Structures are given as C-alpha cells and as structure tokens.
C-alpha cells in the first residue's frame, strides 16, 4: 500500500518556494497509526503539530489517469492527520535536506474511518482539539479530488487500497500531551487521536 500526500501550501511558503507541480510526499506503511491508538510524542523534538487531510482510498488499478475518469477510482473518504516535528523540519528546510525524518517517521499519520462518498454527497468534517478552537472543513469537491488523483497517477501506479492525502486549507494544530483530537461528521466520530 502506498500513502501519497500532497504538501500543504504553507510548507512551501515557509521555504519561499514556487514549484511548477504540486509536490507529493510518500509515507511508509509504518507511519500509519491505528485509529483510536494514542500518538506518543517522540523525544527527537520538543514541538509537534498536525495538519488536517482528507484521505482518498483508491479502489482500482490505474496509471496516468485523466481527471475526467478519476471519479471511477475511488468511492470512500476519511479524515486524516499528518504529524510533523516542527523544529527538525525547519532545520532540514534551511539546510536543503530531505524532510523524511521530520514528517514520515513511525506513527506520524492517523487515518480515520472511511465513509462512502458519491457525487451527490456534501458534508463537513469537524475537527475537535481539546483546549483549541474546533475547525469545520467541507469535503473537497469532485474536481479537486479528480485533479489530485490525476496528478498522483502521473508519477505512481495506483493500486487498490492506496491512499491519497489531500491537505485541508487550515492552520496546523499544535499537539499537546494529555489532549485529544477527534474528527466528526454528522455526529459520528470517525477519528480519535489521543496525545501522550
């Protein structure tokens, strides 16, 4: 299974970068934390934050998928979070070094419960973080999802079960020991992410 995540635009802004294509990070399987399991703050940094994503589960094999056909390649969506080590990431960015150790470490990606998403669906994920203001995010429209699948499939063969992570246009959430992050849609909790 591949986990392909598009970078949030603020990561590039921090670098002062302008790129002709949307950059994609590939996460190893070991980066996934099972929904409901706690995230334990590692000892290699003092500040960690999470970015909110939408996870799209690929349902069939494809390569170089045209946007107009992309909706045939998925039917489920889930809330997701990716964790980054803020100080380490800043150091690696300044040094022009790969970011993997700051964003792709073990248990750095939380994937919520998947729900069906058809063309007629329209709903909002609400992210709750203890001690922080809740954030409500509408699910990306079909065009954004189709464009993401098309872009990811330019460089990767997509297989059933692969995940594409599309960043939400929200600020990062600071991770604080003892707090908990949850994602809810229509009063149903899809993601629980205790921090320890």
């Amino acid at each position: 299974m591949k986990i392909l995540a598009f970078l949030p635009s603020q990561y590039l802004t921090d670098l002062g970068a302008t790129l002709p294509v949307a950059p994609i990070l590939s996460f190893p399987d070991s980066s996934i934390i099972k929904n409901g399991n706690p995230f334990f703050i590692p000892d290699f940094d003092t500040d960690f934050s999470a970015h909110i994503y939408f996870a799209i589960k690929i349902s069939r094999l494809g390569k170089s998928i045209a946007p107009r056909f992309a909706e045939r390649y998925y039917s489920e969506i889930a809330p997701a979070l990716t964790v980054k080590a803020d100080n380490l990431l800043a150091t690696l960015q300044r040094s022009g070094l790969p970011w993997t150790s700051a964003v792709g470490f073990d248990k750095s990606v939380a994937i919520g419960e998947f729900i069906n998403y058809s063309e007629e669906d329209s709903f909002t994920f609400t992210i709750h973080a203890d001690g922080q203001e809740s954030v409500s995010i509408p699910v990306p429209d079909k065009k954004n999802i189709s464009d993401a699948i098309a872009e990811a499939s330019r460089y990767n063969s997509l297989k059933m079960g692969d995940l594409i992570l599309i960043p939400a246009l929200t600020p990062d959430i600071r991770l604080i020991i003892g707090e908990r992050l949850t994602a809810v849609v229509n009063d149903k909790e899809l993601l629980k992410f205790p921090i320890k």
Side-chain angles (χ1 to χ4, degrees):
M1 179 181 73
K2 290 188 288 296
I3 309 163
L4 304 172
F6 286 85
L7 283 181
S9 58
Q10 62 260 44
Y11 289 17
L12 300 179
T13 301
D14 291 344
L15 281 175
T18 302
L19 299 177
V21 297
I24 302 171
L25 290 179
S26 179
F27 289 87
D29 289 350
S30 62
S31 65
I32 289 187
I33 183 169
K34 187 176 180 181
N35 188 18
N37 284 1
F39 172 74
F40 292 94
I41 298 286
D43 62 2
F44 56 79
D45 204 334
T46 56
D47 294 312
F48 289 84
S49 59
H51 194 83
I52 302 167
Y53 277 84
F54 301 99
I56 308 298
K57 185 187 290 184
I58 298 300
S59 57
R60 59 190 292 188
L61 178 68
K63 178 76 167 71
S64 299
I65 302 163
R68 67 182 183 277
F69 299 127
E71 65 184 65
R72 302 178 185 178
Y73 289 81
Y74 74 98
S75 61
E76 294 180 296
I77 190 169
L81 298 168
T82 65
V83 176
K84 62 184 175 71
D86 294 320
N87 297 326
L88 178 57
L89 178 60
T91 299
L92 294 173
Q93 287 176 331
R94 284 194 302 269
S95 304
L97 297 172
W99 304 355
T100 308
S101 56
V103 297
F105 49 90
D106 284 357
K107 311 303 181 190
S108 62
V109 178
I111 307 290
E113 179 184 341
F114 281 89
I115 57 175
N116 288 329
Y117 181 39
S118 67
E119 191 166 357
E120 295 76 27
D121 287 335
S122 177
F123 48 83
T124 299
F125 289 133
T126 301
I127 310 296
H128 301 283
D130 296 341
Q132 302 180 55
E133 188 174 346
S134 296
V135 179
S136 293
I137 321 156
V139 170
D141 63 29
K142 288 287 184 177
K143 182 181 186 310
N144 287 341
I145 295 175
S146 294
D147 288 347
I149 291 173
E151 184 71 8
S153 72
R154 288 178 63 192
Y155 311 101
N156 303 274
S157 293
L158 301 181
K159 299 179 180 179
M160 185 180 297
D162 287 350
L163 302 178
I164 296 177
L165 305 185
I166 301 172
L169 300 177
T170 59
D172 289 343
I173 300 170
R174 189 175 179 204
L175 301 187
I176 300 171
I177 292 175
E179 293 190 352
R180 184 181 68 152
L181 277 67
T182 57
V184 177
V185 63
N186 297 334
D187 297 323
K188 181 179 181 182
E189 187 177 85
L190 300 180
L191 175 64
K192 184 165 61 176
F193 189 69
I195 303 158
K196 296 188 176 180

PDB file of all heavy atoms in Angstrom, residues 3-4 15 20 46-47 50-51 63 65 70-72 79 86 90 95 104 112 130 140 158 163 170 177 183 185 188 196:
ATOM      1  N   ILE A   3       1.076   5.443   0.466  1.00  0.00           N
ATOM      2  CA  ILE A   3       0.427   6.604   1.070  1.00  0.00           C
ATOM      3  C   ILE A   3       1.082   7.831   0.448  1.00  0.00           C
ATOM      4  O   ILE A   3       2.262   8.107   0.690  1.00  0.00           O
ATOM      5  CB  ILE A   3       0.607   6.626   2.597  1.00  0.00           C
ATOM      6  CG1 ILE A   3       0.204   5.288   3.202  1.00  0.00           C
ATOM      7  CG2 ILE A   3      -0.195   7.760   3.216  1.00  0.00           C
ATOM      8  CD1 ILE A   3       0.721   5.090   4.609  1.00  0.00           C
ATOM      9  N   LEU A   4       0.346   8.545  -0.384  1.00  0.00           N
ATOM     10  CA  LEU A   4       0.873   9.703  -1.106  1.00  0.00           C
ATOM     11  C   LEU A   4       0.168  10.954  -0.609  1.00  0.00           C
ATOM     12  O   LEU A   4      -1.063  11.036  -0.651  1.00  0.00           O
ATOM     13  CB  LEU A   4       0.645   9.532  -2.608  1.00  0.00           C
ATOM     14  CG  LEU A   4       1.221   8.248  -3.235  1.00  0.00           C
ATOM     15  CD1 LEU A   4       0.769   8.112  -4.680  1.00  0.00           C
ATOM     16  CD2 LEU A   4       2.725   8.230  -3.130  1.00  0.00           C
ATOM     17  N   LEU A  15       9.303  28.004   2.789  1.00  0.00           N
ATOM     18  CA  LEU A  15      10.560  27.878   2.058  1.00  0.00           C
ATOM     19  C   LEU A  15      10.758  29.001   1.035  1.00  0.00           C
ATOM     20  O   LEU A  15      11.826  29.131   0.458  1.00  0.00           O
ATOM     21  CB  LEU A  15      10.571  26.548   1.291  1.00  0.00           C
ATOM     22  CG  LEU A  15      10.893  25.286   2.082  1.00  0.00           C
ATOM     23  CD1 LEU A  15      10.732  24.075   1.183  1.00  0.00           C
ATOM     24  CD2 LEU A  15      12.294  25.332   2.636  1.00  0.00           C
ATOM     25  N   PRO A  20       6.496  24.210 -10.221  1.00  0.00           N
ATOM     26  CA  PRO A  20       5.571  24.060 -11.348  1.00  0.00           C
ATOM     27  C   PRO A  20       4.567  22.939 -11.150  1.00  0.00           C
ATOM     28  O   PRO A  20       3.565  22.869 -11.857  1.00  0.00           O
ATOM     29  CB  PRO A  20       6.507  23.754 -12.522  1.00  0.00           C
ATOM     30  CG  PRO A  20       7.713  23.150 -11.889  1.00  0.00           C
ATOM     31  CD  PRO A  20       7.865  23.819 -10.552  1.00  0.00           C
ATOM     32  N   THR A  46      10.889  18.967  20.388  1.00  0.00           N
ATOM     33  CA  THR A  46      10.069  19.456  21.503  1.00  0.00           C
ATOM     34  C   THR A  46       8.719  19.984  21.037  1.00  0.00           C
ATOM     35  O   THR A  46       7.805  20.101  21.851  1.00  0.00           O
ATOM     36  CB  THR A  46      10.808  20.587  22.252  1.00  0.00           C
ATOM     37  OG1 THR A  46      11.151  21.626  21.317  1.00  0.00           O
ATOM     38  CG2 THR A  46      12.062  20.060  22.920  1.00  0.00           C
ATOM     39  N   ASP A  47       8.599  20.309  19.757  1.00  0.00           N
ATOM     40  CA  ASP A  47       7.352  20.862  19.226  1.00  0.00           C
ATOM     41  C   ASP A  47       6.855  20.015  18.063  1.00  0.00           C
ATOM     42  O   ASP A  47       7.583  19.813  17.078  1.00  0.00           O
ATOM     43  CB  ASP A  47       7.559  22.307  18.752  1.00  0.00           C
ATOM     44  CG  ASP A  47       7.882  23.248  19.905  1.00  0.00           C
ATOM     45  OD1 ASP A  47       7.170  23.200  20.917  1.00  0.00           O
ATOM     46  OD2 ASP A  47       8.855  24.012  19.782  1.00  0.00           O
ATOM     47  N   ALA A  50       0.089  18.954  13.859  1.00  0.00           N
ATOM     48  CA  ALA A  50      -0.574  18.072  12.893  1.00  0.00           C
ATOM     49  C   ALA A  50      -1.294  18.911  11.859  1.00  0.00           C
ATOM     50  O   ALA A  50      -1.829  19.985  12.174  1.00  0.00           O
ATOM     51  CB  ALA A  50      -1.559  17.148  13.606  1.00  0.00           C
ATOM     52  N   HIS A  51      -1.305  18.422  10.626  1.00  0.00           N
ATOM     53  CA  HIS A  51      -2.083  19.066   9.574  1.00  0.00           C
ATOM     54  C   HIS A  51      -3.251  18.159   9.219  1.00  0.00           C
ATOM     55  O   HIS A  51      -3.115  16.933   9.191  1.00  0.00           O
ATOM     56  CB  HIS A  51      -1.234  19.341   8.332  1.00  0.00           C
ATOM     57  CG  HIS A  51      -1.904  20.289   7.385  1.00  0.00           C
ATOM     58  ND1 HIS A  51      -1.839  21.657   7.538  1.00  0.00           N
ATOM     59  CD2 HIS A  51      -2.706  20.065   6.310  1.00  0.00           C
ATOM     60  CE1 HIS A  51      -2.549  22.240   6.579  1.00  0.00           C
ATOM     61  NE2 HIS A  51      -3.089  21.299   5.836  1.00  0.00           N
ATOM     62  N   LYS A  63      -2.915   4.165 -13.926  1.00  0.00           N
ATOM     63  CA  LYS A  63      -1.691   4.946 -14.131  1.00  0.00           C
ATOM     64  C   LYS A  63      -2.001   6.018 -15.159  1.00  0.00           C
ATOM     65  O   LYS A  63      -2.713   5.774 -16.131  1.00  0.00           O
ATOM     66  CB  LYS A  63      -0.554   4.034 -14.637  1.00  0.00           C
ATOM     67  CG  LYS A  63       0.765   4.759 -14.921  1.00  0.00           C
ATOM     68  CD  LYS A  63       1.487   5.102 -13.625  1.00  0.00           C
ATOM     69  CE  LYS A  63       2.929   5.529 -13.871  1.00  0.00           C
ATOM     70  NZ  LYS A  63       3.049   6.855 -14.498  1.00  0.00           N
ATOM     71  N   ILE A  65      -3.964   8.651 -15.002  1.00  0.00           N
ATOM     72  CA  ILE A  65      -5.427   8.742 -15.069  1.00  0.00           C
ATOM     73  C   ILE A  65      -5.825  10.163 -15.461  1.00  0.00           C
ATOM     74  O   ILE A  65      -5.384  11.129 -14.836  1.00  0.00           O
ATOM     75  CB  ILE A  65      -6.041   8.379 -13.705  1.00  0.00           C
ATOM     76  CG1 ILE A  65      -5.618   6.960 -13.299  1.00  0.00           C
ATOM     77  CG2 ILE A  65      -7.556   8.508 -13.732  1.00  0.00           C
ATOM     78  CD1 ILE A  65      -5.827   6.666 -11.828  1.00  0.00           C
ATOM     79  N   ALA A  70     -11.175  10.117 -13.220  1.00  0.00           N
ATOM     80  CA  ALA A  70     -10.647   9.850 -11.874  1.00  0.00           C
ATOM     81  C   ALA A  70     -11.721   9.403 -10.891  1.00  0.00           C
ATOM     82  O   ALA A  70     -11.442   8.631  -9.972  1.00  0.00           O
ATOM     83  CB  ALA A  70      -9.932  11.091 -11.343  1.00  0.00           C
ATOM     84  N   GLU A  71     -12.975   9.872 -11.062  1.00  0.00           N
ATOM     85  CA  GLU A  71     -14.004   9.501 -10.088  1.00  0.00           C
ATOM     86  C   GLU A  71     -14.317   8.009 -10.118  1.00  0.00           C
ATOM     87  O   GLU A  71     -14.946   7.489  -9.192  1.00  0.00           O
ATOM     88  CB  GLU A  71     -15.275  10.314 -10.310  1.00  0.00           C
ATOM     89  CG  GLU A  71     -15.967  10.057 -11.622  1.00  0.00           C
ATOM     90  CD  GLU A  71     -17.177  10.975 -11.799  1.00  0.00           C
ATOM     91  OE1 GLU A  71     -16.983  12.193 -11.898  1.00  0.00           O
ATOM     92  OE2 GLU A  71     -18.303  10.458 -11.826  1.00  0.00           O
ATOM     93  N   ARG A  72     -13.865   7.302 -11.140  1.00  0.00           N
ATOM     94  CA  ARG A  72     -14.049   5.849 -11.193  1.00  0.00           C
ATOM     95  C   ARG A  72     -13.088   5.117 -10.255  1.00  0.00           C
ATOM     96  O   ARG A  72     -13.225   3.916 -10.058  1.00  0.00           O
ATOM     97  CB  ARG A  72     -13.802   5.344 -12.615  1.00  0.00           C
ATOM     98  CG  ARG A  72     -14.703   5.967 -13.672  1.00  0.00           C
ATOM     99  CD  ARG A  72     -14.335   5.439 -15.040  1.00  0.00           C
ATOM    100  NE  ARG A  72     -15.099   6.085 -16.107  1.00  0.00           N
ATOM    101  CZ  ARG A  72     -14.937   5.825 -17.397  1.00  0.00           C
ATOM    102  NH1 ARG A  72     -14.040   4.929 -17.782  1.00  0.00           N
ATOM    103  NH2 ARG A  72     -15.678   6.447 -18.310  1.00  0.00           N
ATOM    104  N   PRO A  79     -11.264  11.381   7.250  1.00  0.00           N
ATOM    105  CA  PRO A  79     -10.394  12.425   7.800  1.00  0.00           C
ATOM    106  C   PRO A  79      -9.044  11.831   8.152  1.00  0.00           C
ATOM    107  O   PRO A  79      -8.942  10.642   8.489  1.00  0.00           O
ATOM    108  CB  PRO A  79     -11.145  12.881   9.055  1.00  0.00           C
ATOM    109  CG  PRO A  79     -11.937  11.682   9.471  1.00  0.00           C
ATOM    110  CD  PRO A  79     -12.290  10.952   8.211  1.00  0.00           C
ATOM    111  N   ASP A  86       8.264  20.117  14.270  1.00  0.00           N
ATOM    112  CA  ASP A  86       8.401  21.483  13.757  1.00  0.00           C
ATOM    113  C   ASP A  86       9.841  21.991  13.725  1.00  0.00           C
ATOM    114  O   ASP A  86      10.288  22.549  12.720  1.00  0.00           O
ATOM    115  CB  ASP A  86       7.540  22.436  14.589  1.00  0.00           C
ATOM    116  CG  ASP A  86       6.062  22.146  14.432  1.00  0.00           C
ATOM    117  OD1 ASP A  86       5.643  21.856  13.308  1.00  0.00           O
ATOM    118  OD2 ASP A  86       5.332  22.204  15.435  1.00  0.00           O
ATOM    119  N   ALA A  90      12.117  22.651  10.287  1.00  0.00           N
ATOM    120  CA  ALA A  90      12.709  23.960   9.973  1.00  0.00           C
ATOM    121  C   ALA A  90      14.210  23.840   9.723  1.00  0.00           C
ATOM    122  O   ALA A  90      14.754  24.455   8.799  1.00  0.00           O
ATOM    123  CB  ALA A  90      12.438  24.937  11.110  1.00  0.00           C
ATOM    124  N   SER A  95      18.591  23.732   5.649  1.00  0.00           N
ATOM    125  CA  SER A  95      19.798  23.061   5.169  1.00  0.00           C
ATOM    126  C   SER A  95      19.625  22.444   3.791  1.00  0.00           C
ATOM    127  O   SER A  95      20.569  21.884   3.242  1.00  0.00           O
ATOM    128  CB  SER A  95      20.213  21.969   6.163  1.00  0.00           C
ATOM    129  OG  SER A  95      20.399  22.518   7.455  1.00  0.00           O
ATOM    130  N   GLY A 104       7.869  11.843   8.112  1.00  0.00           N
ATOM    131  CA  GLY A 104       7.496  10.487   7.726  1.00  0.00           C
ATOM    132  C   GLY A 104       7.945   9.430   8.707  1.00  0.00           C
ATOM    133  O   GLY A 104       8.159   8.282   8.341  1.00  0.00           O
ATOM    134  N   GLY A 112      -8.647   8.147   9.714  1.00  0.00           N
ATOM    135  CA  GLY A 112      -9.921   7.863  10.362  1.00  0.00           C
ATOM    136  C   GLY A 112     -10.695   6.772   9.647  1.00  0.00           C
ATOM    137  O   GLY A 112     -10.226   6.156   8.688  1.00  0.00           O
ATOM    138  N   ASP A 130      -8.824  19.315  22.099  1.00  0.00           N
ATOM    139  CA  ASP A 130      -9.011  19.806  23.465  1.00  0.00           C
ATOM    140  C   ASP A 130      -8.237  21.107  23.659  1.00  0.00           C
ATOM    141  O   ASP A 130      -7.062  21.201  23.309  1.00  0.00           O
ATOM    142  CB  ASP A 130      -8.514  18.775  24.483  1.00  0.00           C
ATOM    143  CG  ASP A 130      -9.324  17.484  24.441  1.00  0.00           C
ATOM    144  OD1 ASP A 130     -10.438  17.523  23.906  1.00  0.00           O
ATOM    145  OD2 ASP A 130      -8.838  16.458  24.943  1.00  0.00           O
ATOM    146  N   PRO A 140     -13.494  18.174   0.038  1.00  0.00           N
ATOM    147  CA  PRO A 140     -13.138  18.752  -1.277  1.00  0.00           C
ATOM    148  C   PRO A 140     -14.168  18.388  -2.338  1.00  0.00           C
ATOM    149  O   PRO A 140     -14.784  17.320  -2.275  1.00  0.00           O
ATOM    150  CB  PRO A 140     -11.783  18.107  -1.594  1.00  0.00           C
ATOM    151  CG  PRO A 140     -11.278  17.546  -0.329  1.00  0.00           C
ATOM    152  CD  PRO A 140     -12.445  17.276   0.543  1.00  0.00           C
ATOM    153  N   LEU A 158      -1.234   3.552  -9.326  1.00  0.00           N
ATOM    154  CA  LEU A 158      -2.139   3.476  -8.183  1.00  0.00           C
ATOM    155  C   LEU A 158      -2.807   2.114  -8.153  1.00  0.00           C
ATOM    156  O   LEU A 158      -3.279   1.614  -9.180  1.00  0.00           O
ATOM    157  CB  LEU A 158      -3.191   4.586  -8.270  1.00  0.00           C
ATOM    158  CG  LEU A 158      -2.638   6.014  -8.307  1.00  0.00           C
ATOM    159  CD1 LEU A 158      -3.786   7.016  -8.359  1.00  0.00           C
ATOM    160  CD2 LEU A 158      -1.742   6.289  -7.106  1.00  0.00           C
ATOM    161  N   LEU A 163      -3.608   5.112  -0.665  1.00  0.00           N
ATOM    162  CA  LEU A 163      -4.243   6.296  -0.101  1.00  0.00           C
ATOM    163  C   LEU A 163      -3.611   7.563  -0.675  1.00  0.00           C
ATOM    164  O   LEU A 163      -2.389   7.656  -0.775  1.00  0.00           O
ATOM    165  CB  LEU A 163      -4.092   6.314   1.427  1.00  0.00           C
ATOM    166  CG  LEU A 163      -4.650   5.120   2.188  1.00  0.00           C
ATOM    167  CD1 LEU A 163      -4.379   5.272   3.679  1.00  0.00           C
ATOM    168  CD2 LEU A 163      -6.137   4.943   1.924  1.00  0.00           C
ATOM    169  N   THR A 170      -6.304  24.697   6.236  1.00  0.00           N
ATOM    170  CA  THR A 170      -6.443  25.087   7.648  1.00  0.00           C
ATOM    171  C   THR A 170      -5.056  25.235   8.260  1.00  0.00           C
ATOM    172  O   THR A 170      -4.084  24.656   7.773  1.00  0.00           O
ATOM    173  CB  THR A 170      -7.203  24.021   8.445  1.00  0.00           C
ATOM    174  OG1 THR A 170      -6.484  22.778   8.360  1.00  0.00           O
ATOM    175  CG2 THR A 170      -8.604  23.824   7.903  1.00  0.00           C
ATOM    176  N   ILE A 177       0.551  17.117  25.031  1.00  0.00           N
ATOM    177  CA  ILE A 177       0.349  15.893  25.803  1.00  0.00           C
ATOM    178  C   ILE A 177      -0.882  16.042  26.696  1.00  0.00           C
ATOM    179  O   ILE A 177      -1.081  17.059  27.360  1.00  0.00           O
ATOM    180  CB  ILE A 177       1.598  15.575  26.648  1.00  0.00           C
ATOM    181  CG1 ILE A 177       2.763  15.186  25.722  1.00  0.00           C
ATOM    182  CG2 ILE A 177       1.325  14.440  27.638  1.00  0.00           C
ATOM    183  CD1 ILE A 177       4.079  14.975  26.440  1.00  0.00           C
ATOM    184  N   ALA A 183     -12.313  13.715  14.920  1.00  0.00           N
ATOM    185  CA  ALA A 183     -12.961  14.200  13.703  1.00  0.00           C
ATOM    186  C   ALA A 183     -14.350  13.587  13.651  1.00  0.00           C
ATOM    187  O   ALA A 183     -14.518  12.374  13.801  1.00  0.00           O
ATOM    188  CB  ALA A 183     -12.158  13.815  12.464  1.00  0.00           C
ATOM    189  N   VAL A 185     -18.352  13.633  11.703  1.00  0.00           N
ATOM    190  CA  VAL A 185     -19.225  14.037  10.601  1.00  0.00           C
ATOM    191  C   VAL A 185     -20.622  13.545  10.935  1.00  0.00           C
ATOM    192  O   VAL A 185     -20.815  12.388  11.315  1.00  0.00           O
ATOM    193  CB  VAL A 185     -18.737  13.499   9.235  1.00  0.00           C
ATOM    194  CG1 VAL A 185     -18.741  11.981   9.184  1.00  0.00           C
ATOM    195  CG2 VAL A 185     -19.563  14.073   8.102  1.00  0.00           C
ATOM    196  N   LYS A 188     -21.099  11.537  13.984  1.00  0.00           N
ATOM    197  CA  LYS A 188     -20.402  10.251  14.047  1.00  0.00           C
ATOM    198  C   LYS A 188     -18.904  10.500  14.149  1.00  0.00           C
ATOM    199  O   LYS A 188     -18.335  11.209  13.311  1.00  0.00           O
ATOM    200  CB  LYS A 188     -20.706   9.410  12.808  1.00  0.00           C
ATOM    201  CG  LYS A 188     -20.031   8.046  12.834  1.00  0.00           C
ATOM    202  CD  LYS A 188     -20.367   7.231  11.599  1.00  0.00           C
ATOM    203  CE  LYS A 188     -19.703   5.857  11.645  1.00  0.00           C
ATOM    204  NZ  LYS A 188     -19.982   5.056  10.428  1.00  0.00           N
ATOM    205  N   LYS A 196      -0.028  11.474  23.936  1.00  0.00           N
ATOM    206  CA  LYS A 196       0.611  11.086  25.203  1.00  0.00           C
ATOM    207  C   LYS A 196       2.109  11.297  25.139  1.00  0.00           C
ATOM    208  O   LYS A 196       2.675  11.484  24.069  1.00  0.00           O
ATOM    209  CB  LYS A 196       0.288   9.619  25.516  1.00  0.00           C
ATOM    210  CG  LYS A 196      -1.203   9.390  25.748  1.00  0.00           C
ATOM    211  CD  LYS A 196      -1.473   7.994  26.243  1.00  0.00           C
ATOM    212  CE  LYS A 196      -2.951   7.811  26.551  1.00  0.00           C
ATOM    213  NZ  LYS A 196      -3.273   6.480  27.040  1.00  0.00           N
TER     214      LYS A 196
END
